[in-house]
Amino acid sequence: MQVLIARMNHETNTFSPVPTPLAAFGKNGPTYGAAAYAENKGGRTAMSAFIDLSEAAGAILVTPVSAFANPSGRVAADAYQRICDGIVEAAAGCDALLLDLHGAMACENTDDGEGDLLERLRQRYPNVPIAASLDLHGNVTQKMVDNADVIISFKTYPHVDMYEAGEHAGRLLFDWLLRGAPKPRLAWQRLLLVTHTLRSTSESGAMREAIQAARRFEANGVPGVSVLAGFALADIPYPCISVVAVGSGEAGYRQAQQVVKQLAEQIWAAREGFVYQAEPLSQSLARALELAQNVDKPILLLDHGDNCMSGGTCDTMDVLMAALEAGLTGIMAGLICDPAAVAQMAQAGVGASLMLAIGNQCAIPSIGRAANPIRLRGIVRAVTHGEYVITGPTYTGQTASMGKSAVFDIGAAKLVITSKPHEPWDLGTFTSLGLNPAEARFILLKSRMYCRPVFSPLCAALIECDSPGVTSADFSLFTYQNRRDPLYPFEAVGEGWERG
């Protein structure tokens, strides 16, 4: 048996000014062939699980590409074409296709990157089984459902079950291909509901209840049930939440149809639980200052309006400047992406006192924001290559690179400034530069969720800080031109879904 295994991951924020050329995938472009295999073998991606399953089955592996890029603007057309062409051509002669996809990829030449790829594969290889693993934030389309045999998404956010989702999807396909199970069929329902990312966590609220229901259906015999929150920061027709269920054979398909109907009804009844209501930034910072008076641990502040894992520029300074004006001190803040500032600090050297223009370097036309760097005086405390090994729970063991990085001490705050946009996956984002975040009074991170399993245990409290960035929870900042109307919560919606 010959099995194609490939990875193509990008969550597209169509409002982001950050470009996505081919070089944005990986350290300097995707990996191919043996390098794609090596990048994922022994890791925690869905592609890692596909490799393990296929090797256990004695298959010959074909690994044409592994392409992952941080969320950003639309993927360049030539980059998308090259990745997809490599997958389609390599699939010739294969008996199964296992694809580690995201589900919310939009490109310069298509709103439905994954659906178009799956359609090409199905047209070229009509009888070859296809399984896809998707991110929990995938914007599922009819093309995806029509052209895949199995779809399974992550069930956690922060995403700590990428491997498990891949193992689940691959196992269901191999049950059919190798072990005589009935052919899988997909049932799905897309709701007319746009969710806030901060309300898609699997750890609380309406999303947690929906995922728990999906797990109960699986425990009672449905092969696979996925709840995909969708990704709202995409100006496409349906950036919506959806439910996908895998049925086994015709009877299983009818059961799967009932499952998606029940789950859709549950989600729609709880729709207000998927809408995030932010408090004013001044109130958030006042609460933080009050909490800090009575605890001996840091207060964790999350600048979620500029999160690179949703397409942020990673350089807005609103929350930091408001915190300084509110009188917060003892701050460790990061990660601020400003390669020019890092270069100046590296040239000046550790110990140098500088006046630097930092942050606000990237204009954000989609929300009418011009570049307006902030001038700060401080001392260079460290300059490093910016690499560290992630200890988990996400991408455990993977070497991460922030690019050349530096610490700039402005007195009330120590700023970690990087050359690349980077999510604070790990304490290594600070410790690799000689900082111990446990010693801070306030830890200010540009993050939504991924930092929480690592940084929350260090802190006495967590406060979400709203700011006008490209990943803001304030949908009124964004001008949608292509989305379907009506969609809740933008407009009142009678029934929660369209009839197929």
Side-chain angles (χ1 to χ4, degrees), residues 16 26 33 54 90 97 122 128 145 154 185 271 279 285 313 323 325 330-331 366 425 427 440 469:
S16 174
S54 300
L97 312 180
R122 180 58 73 209
V128 178
V145 175
F154 310 158
R185 287 193 62 185
R271 59 192 175 277
E279 68 177 348
L285 295 173
T313 58
E325 291 169 11
I331 303 169
S366 63
W425 302 109
L427 297 180

Side-chain angles (χ1 to χ4, degrees), residues 205-216:
M207 188 64 177
R208 179 175 180 268
E209 293 171 1
I211 290 171
Q212 286 179 331
R215 292 188 186 279
R216 286 194 296 271

Side-chain angles (χ1 to χ4, degrees), residues 191 194-195 206 225 235 246 312:
L191 286 84
V194 179
T195 72
V225 183
D235 188 14
V246 183

Side-chain angles (χ1 to χ4, degrees), residues 185-207:
R185 287 193 62 185
L186 295 175
W188 84 297
Q189 183 68 67
R190 177 173 53 210
L191 286 84
L192 303 182
L193 170 60
V194 179
T195 72
H196 281 97
T197 304
L198 281 166
R199 287 291 175 264
S200 62
T201 175
S202 54
E203 298 180 351
S204 63
M207 188 64 177

